[in-house]
Amino acid sequence: MTTLTLTQALEQAIAHHQAGRLREAEALYRAILQVAPNHPDAHHNLGVLAMGVGQAKAALPHLKAALEANPAVAQYWLSFIHALIEAGEAAAARQVLAQGQARGLQGPQVEALAARLAANPAAYPAGAATRQGEAQNAPPPQTDKPSKVSRTGTAAKNARRAKLGKSAQEWLQRSHRAQQAGKTADALRFAELAVRRDPDLLGGWLQLAALRYERQDLAGSIEALRHCARLEPGNARHWANLGGLLHGTGCLDEALRCSERAVELDPQHGDAWNNLGTVLRTLGRSQEARAAYEKAHVLNPDEPVPLLNLSLVATDLHDLKAALGYSEKALALAPDDPRILTGRAVTLSNADRCEEAVVLLEQALTREASWERRFRYWLMLPWIAQSHDEIRRWRARFGEGIAALLAVPGTIDNPDDAFGDWFRLAYHGEDDRPLMEGVCRLLRTKVPQLNYTAPHVHDWCYPHDRRIRLGVCSHGLRNHPVGKFTSGFLRERDRTRFELFVIHTPDSQHDPLREKINGWADRVVELSGSHAQQLAQIAALELDALFLPNVTEKQHIYYLGCARLAPVQFASWGIACTSGIDTLDYYLSSSLIEPPGAEAHYCERLILLAHLPTYMAVVVAPNESPPRGHWGLAAERPLYFCPQSLFKYHPDFDGVLAEIARLDPNAQIVAIEGMSANWTNRLRERWAKHAPILNERVMFLP
């Protein structure tokens, strides 16, 4: 294992940054900040990186930290002012500019910033996107470069080459020849010379977009595609490709506009419809996404990817029967494609056909051993356990998987690749602490960017002269158990003591309860962009405390919990079990439901309230409801109703239901069908072995 000094790490990070390898650069910058939290160059370059993908607000806390750490560096002033302008904070930009000038900040770049502010007092509205068909406003000179290592020699060489007299077409031809010879660096340099020679050379920008994408320089590829769209605004392909790349960088609103523009220009463009569906699905607009994917499938019936996407969005819509059908058709079209094998395995796992899913993932891993496939393979758990023995067997495999994944060398750039079914552990009725702590240890080792600490935490002091800044972050601050459990607390908090920040994740849907919760907040924040950008958005709030209810239900919420975003962080119900996360300080539960010695099962400090940790609004029953016959229920028989998801029916609970059926022979027990028909079938199979009376007496409603 090679150990880098801070200087070496910074130089490597900058090399990645300038080569367009943004994930590698970001990981190293954040690793530096773990060792040296106030490192000015690392903060500055993280801010520059965020600016490069259009996330000005996410850049601000890092650029501010760099400036505060070393105000003698003029570049830090320039970058921070530029970011404030781009984020729409014109007043703050003018104030910082004045402070800099008072300290002797001067020069052409300062004059350019001052002129920009003077020409447009409102500056650029926060979140304003470039209009379709227009190039982005160019930033002031040299405010978007990573600091510390100079590369003026390369620029000088490029300038000399540009004077050699070749035409733009000749440089483009040289780029294509270099690419064919496998000399990508030369191909990229020649393409850049071609467009420098002729900024209206469409082929040059197309070549540049492809080469930058190949080098994982998404920001650079997006810039090139913007030029393509400027030169050919009626070409749907440019807009479709631009929408796809913007989605990859988390710029969802602009990605949606570009994808919609593509299908408007060419309604027969199947890839554009597929891209549109992907953006809509990420935005939580699943029905619209399904319609877009169906259009893509009709236009490209022999292409497996739209079918795979249809299976995923059908799962989102709890239509697992359709999802299984779509993934089966996709696999028939591409039986050896690891993406399709993995997608089919995911669908089978959701339908609780885990043994089949494991086999397909083994096949996919032999073709391409990606981190996502490794995690899915090892950290899979069934929905409906058949017995205690099956629970123990899968949990043992899960623990072996943690060890196996830790033994694989390397780290993971994209947290979404570290997917596992640990949410299901909570319904096994076992001590989850060892496995959940193992998950946290695994993720901290393999996904370094999860180990983020907000800059303000290091020097935090208790706020004696202001209200406590309390953030509540979830996908469920709406008509969802989280929203229902917490809405009373949020509404009735002591407003003289707490300033409430309601933080919605990108997949949080809009509904009336969400609007009510927003109305009770002092500030509402809607997260966007990549995981790193979301961390920066929360860090910029400088919270004193962060509440992450139901933290283990959704992976992206769990990942946020792994960061230190506030001096005090805590979790609570929906799921009454430990998160295993060592950056969550407290868990709020109740003495009414926790058994003696429960604190040993939590890595957090367990706070036992005298009441339930919920504050729900009173439910008003309808004045009229359909007669029992409407549901196929007998009019006079006693009803026992258990309105829970079937994966919460533990094998021990079968004995409780069977005893009810035995003691009340006239009883009718009512349950709700599983999301997949196979869930219901697997539960019936279990009952047939251990409590056959239940298959006679339990009725399932839709």
Side-chain angles (χ1 to χ4, degrees), residues 401-437:
I402 292 173
L405 291 165
L406 279 168
V408 178
T411 57
I412 305 172
D413 294 328
N414 183 2
D416 291 339
D417 290 342
F419 183 90
D421 290 335
W422 52 80
F423 163 76
R424 301 177 199 172
L425 291 171
Y427 300 98
H428 290 166
E430 304 287 341
D431 179 6
D432 292 329
R433 181 172 179 175
L435 289 178
M436 292 303 292
E437 287 183 328

Coordinates of all heavy atoms in Angstrom, one line a residue, residues 401-437:
G401 N -20.2 -12.0 2.9 CA -20.1 -11.0 1.8 C -19.4 -9.8 2.2 O -18.6 -9.2 1.4
I402 N -19.6 -9.3 3.4 CA -18.9 -8.1 3.9 C -17.4 -8.3 3.9 O -16.6 -7.5 3.4 CB -19.4 -7.7 5.3 CG1 -20.8 -7.2 5.3 CG2 -18.5 -6.6 5.9 CD1 -21.4 -6.9 6.6
A403 N -17.0 -9.5 4.4 CA -15.6 -9.9 4.4 C -15.0 -10.0 3.0 O -13.9 -9.6 2.7 CB -15.4 -11.2 5.2
A404 N -15.8 -10.7 2.1 CA -15.3 -10.9 0.8 C -15.1 -9.5 0.0 O -14.2 -9.3 -0.7 CB -16.3 -11.7 0.0
L405 N -16.0 -8.6 0.3 CA -15.9 -7.3 -0.4 C -14.8 -6.5 0.1 O -14.1 -5.7 -0.6 CB -17.3 -6.5 -0.3 CG -18.4 -7.1 -1.1 CD1 -19.8 -6.5 -0.6 CD2 -18.3 -6.9 -2.5
L406 N -14.6 -6.6 1.4 CA -13.4 -5.9 2.0 C -12.1 -6.4 1.5 O -11.1 -5.6 1.4 CB -13.4 -6.0 3.6 CG -14.3 -5.1 4.4 CD1 -14.5 -5.6 5.8 CD2 -13.9 -3.7 4.3
A407 N -12.1 -7.6 1.1 CA -10.8 -8.2 0.5 C -10.5 -7.9 -0.9 O -9.4 -8.1 -1.4 CB -10.9 -9.8 0.7
V408 N -11.5 -7.3 -1.6 CA -11.3 -6.9 -3.0 C -10.5 -5.6 -3.0 O -10.9 -4.6 -2.4 CB -12.7 -6.7 -3.8 CG1 -12.4 -6.3 -5.2 CG2 -13.5 -8.0 -3.7
P409 N -9.4 -5.5 -3.8 CA -8.7 -4.3 -3.8 C -9.4 -3.2 -4.5 O -10.2 -3.4 -5.3 CB -7.4 -4.7 -4.5 CG -7.7 -5.9 -5.3 CD -8.8 -6.6 -4.6
G410 N -9.0 -1.9 -4.1 CA -9.6 -0.8 -4.8 C -10.7 -0.1 -4.1 O -11.2 -0.6 -3.0
T411 N -11.1 1.0 -4.6 CA -12.2 1.8 -4.0 C -13.3 2.1 -5.0 O -13.0 1.9 -6.2 CB -11.7 3.1 -3.3 OG1 -11.0 3.9 -4.3 CG2 -10.8 2.8 -2.2
I412 N -14.4 2.7 -4.6 CA -15.5 2.9 -5.4 C -15.7 4.4 -5.6 O -15.8 5.1 -4.6 CB -16.8 2.2 -4.8 CG1 -16.6 0.8 -4.6 CG2 -18.0 2.4 -5.7 CD1 -17.7 0.1 -3.8
D413 N -15.9 4.8 -6.8 CA -16.1 6.3 -7.1 C -17.6 6.7 -6.9 O -17.9 7.7 -6.3 CB -15.7 6.6 -8.5 CG -14.2 6.5 -8.7 OD1 -13.5 6.7 -7.8 OD2 -13.8 6.1 -9.8
N414 N -18.5 5.8 -7.3 CA -19.9 6.1 -7.3 C -20.6 5.4 -6.2 O -20.7 4.2 -6.2 CB -20.6 5.8 -8.6 CG -22.0 6.1 -8.7 OD1 -22.6 6.7 -7.7 ND2 -22.7 5.8 -9.8
P415 N -21.1 6.1 -5.1 CA -21.7 5.4 -4.0 C -22.9 4.5 -4.4 O -23.1 3.5 -3.7 CB -22.2 6.6 -3.1 CG -21.3 7.7 -3.5 CD -21.0 7.6 -4.9
D416 N -23.5 4.9 -5.5 CA -24.7 4.0 -5.9 C -24.3 2.6 -6.3 O -25.1 1.7 -6.3 CB -25.4 4.7 -7.1 CG -26.1 6.0 -6.7 OD1 -26.4 6.2 -5.5 OD2 -26.4 6.8 -7.6
D417 N -23.0 2.4 -6.6 CA -22.6 1.0 -6.9 C -22.5 0.1 -5.7 O -22.4 -1.1 -5.8 CB -21.2 1.1 -7.6 CG -21.3 1.7 -9.0 OD1 -22.4 1.7 -9.5 OD2 -20.2 2.1 -9.5
A418 N -22.5 0.8 -4.5 CA -22.3 0.0 -3.2 C -23.7 -0.4 -2.7 O -24.1 0.0 -1.6 CB -21.5 0.8 -2.2
F419 N -24.5 -1.1 -3.5 CA -25.9 -1.4 -3.2 C -26.0 -2.7 -2.4 O -25.4 -3.7 -2.7 CB -26.7 -1.5 -4.4 CG -28.2 -1.7 -4.2 CD1 -29.0 -0.6 -4.1 CD2 -28.7 -2.9 -4.1 CE1 -30.4 -0.7 -3.8 CE2 -30.1 -3.1 -3.8 CZ -30.9 -2.0 -3.7
G420 N -26.8 -2.7 -1.3 CA -27.1 -3.9 -0.6 C -28.5 -3.9 0.0 O -29.2 -2.8 0.1
D421 N -29.0 -5.0 0.4 CA -30.4 -5.2 0.9 C -30.4 -5.1 2.5 O -31.2 -5.7 3.1 CB -31.0 -6.5 0.5 CG -31.3 -6.5 -1.0 OD1 -31.5 -5.5 -1.6 OD2 -31.3 -7.7 -1.6
W422 N -29.5 -4.3 3.1 CA -29.5 -4.3 4.6 C -30.7 -3.8 5.2 O -31.0 -4.0 6.4 CB -28.2 -3.5 5.1 CG -28.0 -2.2 4.5 CD1 -28.6 -1.0 4.9 CD2 -27.1 -1.8 3.5 NE1 -28.2 0.1 4.2 CE2 -27.2 -0.4 3.3 CE3 -26.2 -2.5 2.7 CZ2 -26.5 0.3 2.4 CZ3 -25.5 -1.7 1.8 CH2 -25.6 -0.4 1.6
F423 N -31.6 -3.0 4.5 CA -32.9 -2.6 5.0 C -33.7 -3.8 5.5 O -34.4 -3.7 6.5 CB -33.6 -1.9 3.8 CG -35.1 -1.7 4.1 CD1 -35.6 -0.8 4.9 CD2 -36.0 -2.5 3.4 CE1 -36.9 -0.6 5.1 CE2 -37.4 -2.4 3.6 CZ -37.8 -1.4 4.5
R424 N -33.5 -5.0 4.9 CA -34.3 -6.1 5.2 C -33.9 -6.8 6.5 O -34.6 -7.6 7.1 CB -34.3 -7.1 4.1 CG -34.9 -6.5 2.8 CD -34.8 -7.4 1.6 NE -34.9 -6.7 0.3 CZ -34.8 -7.2 -0.8 NH1 -34.5 -8.5 -1.0 NH2 -34.8 -6.5 -1.9
L425 N -32.6 -6.5 7.0 CA -32.2 -7.1 8.2 C -33.1 -6.8 9.4 O -33.2 -7.7 10.3 CB -30.7 -6.7 8.5 CG -29.6 -7.1 7.6 CD1 -28.3 -6.3 7.9 CD2 -29.4 -8.6 7.7
A426 N -33.7 -5.6 9.4 CA -34.4 -5.2 10.5 C -35.7 -6.1 10.8 O -36.2 -6.0 11.9 CB -34.9 -3.7 10.3
Y427 N -36.1 -6.9 9.8 CA -37.3 -7.6 10.0 C -37.0 -9.1 10.3 O -37.9 -9.9 10.2 CB -38.2 -7.5 8.7 CG -38.6 -6.0 8.5 CD1 -37.8 -5.3 7.6 CD2 -39.5 -5.4 9.3 CE1 -38.1 -3.9 7.5 CE2 -39.9 -4.1 9.1 CZ -39.2 -3.3 8.2 OH -39.4 -2.0 8.1
H428 N -35.8 -9.4 10.7 CA -35.4 -10.8 11.0 C -35.6 -11.1 12.5 O -35.5 -12.2 13.0 CB -34.0 -11.0 10.6 CG -33.8 -11.1 9.1 ND1 -32.5 -11.1 8.5 CD2 -34.7 -11.2 8.1 CE1 -32.7 -11.2 7.2 NE2 -34.0 -11.3 7.0
G429 N -35.8 -10.0 13.4 CA -35.9 -10.3 14.8 C -34.6 -10.7 15.5 O -34.6 -11.4 16.5
E430 N -33.5 -10.3 14.9 CA -32.1 -10.6 15.4 C -31.4 -9.4 15.8 O -31.8 -8.3 15.6 CB -31.3 -11.4 14.4 CG -32.0 -12.6 13.8 CD -32.0 -13.8 14.8 OE1 -31.2 -13.8 15.7 OE2 -32.8 -14.7 14.6
D431 N -30.3 -9.6 16.5 CA -29.4 -8.4 16.8 C -28.7 -8.0 15.6 O -27.8 -8.7 15.1 CB -28.4 -8.8 17.9 CG -27.5 -7.7 18.3 OD1 -27.6 -6.6 17.8 OD2 -26.5 -8.0 19.1
D432 N -29.0 -6.8 15.0 CA -28.5 -6.4 13.7 C -27.2 -5.6 13.9 O -26.5 -5.3 12.9 CB -29.5 -5.5 13.0 CG -30.7 -6.3 12.5 OD1 -30.5 -7.5 12.2 OD2 -31.8 -5.7 12.5
R433 N -26.8 -5.3 15.1 CA -25.7 -4.4 15.3 C -24.4 -4.9 14.6 O -23.7 -4.1 13.9 CB -25.4 -4.1 16.8 CG -24.3 -3.2 17.0 CD -24.2 -2.8 18.5 NE -23.0 -1.9 18.7 CZ -22.7 -1.3 19.8 NH1 -23.5 -1.5 20.9 NH2 -21.7 -0.5 20.0
P434 N -24.0 -6.2 14.8 CA -22.7 -6.6 14.2 C -22.7 -6.5 12.7 O -21.7 -6.0 12.1 CB -22.6 -8.1 14.6 CG -23.4 -8.2 15.9 CD -24.5 -7.2 15.7
L435 N -23.8 -6.9 12.0 CA -23.9 -6.8 10.6 C -23.9 -5.3 10.1 O -23.3 -4.9 9.1 CB -25.1 -7.6 10.0 CG -25.0 -9.1 10.1 CD1 -26.2 -9.8 9.6 CD2 -23.7 -9.6 9.4
M436 N -24.7 -4.5 10.8 CA -24.9 -3.1 10.3 C -23.6 -2.3 10.6 O -23.2 -1.5 9.8 CB -26.1 -2.4 11.1 CG -27.4 -3.0 10.6 SD -27.7 -2.9 8.9 CE -27.9 -1.1 8.7
E437 N -22.9 -2.6 11.7 CA -21.6 -2.0 11.9 C -20.6 -2.5 10.8 O -19.7 -1.7 10.3 CB -21.1 -2.3 13.3 CG -21.8 -1.5 14.3 CD -21.2 -1.7 15.7 OE1 -20.7 -2.8 16.0 OE2 -21.3 -0.8 16.6

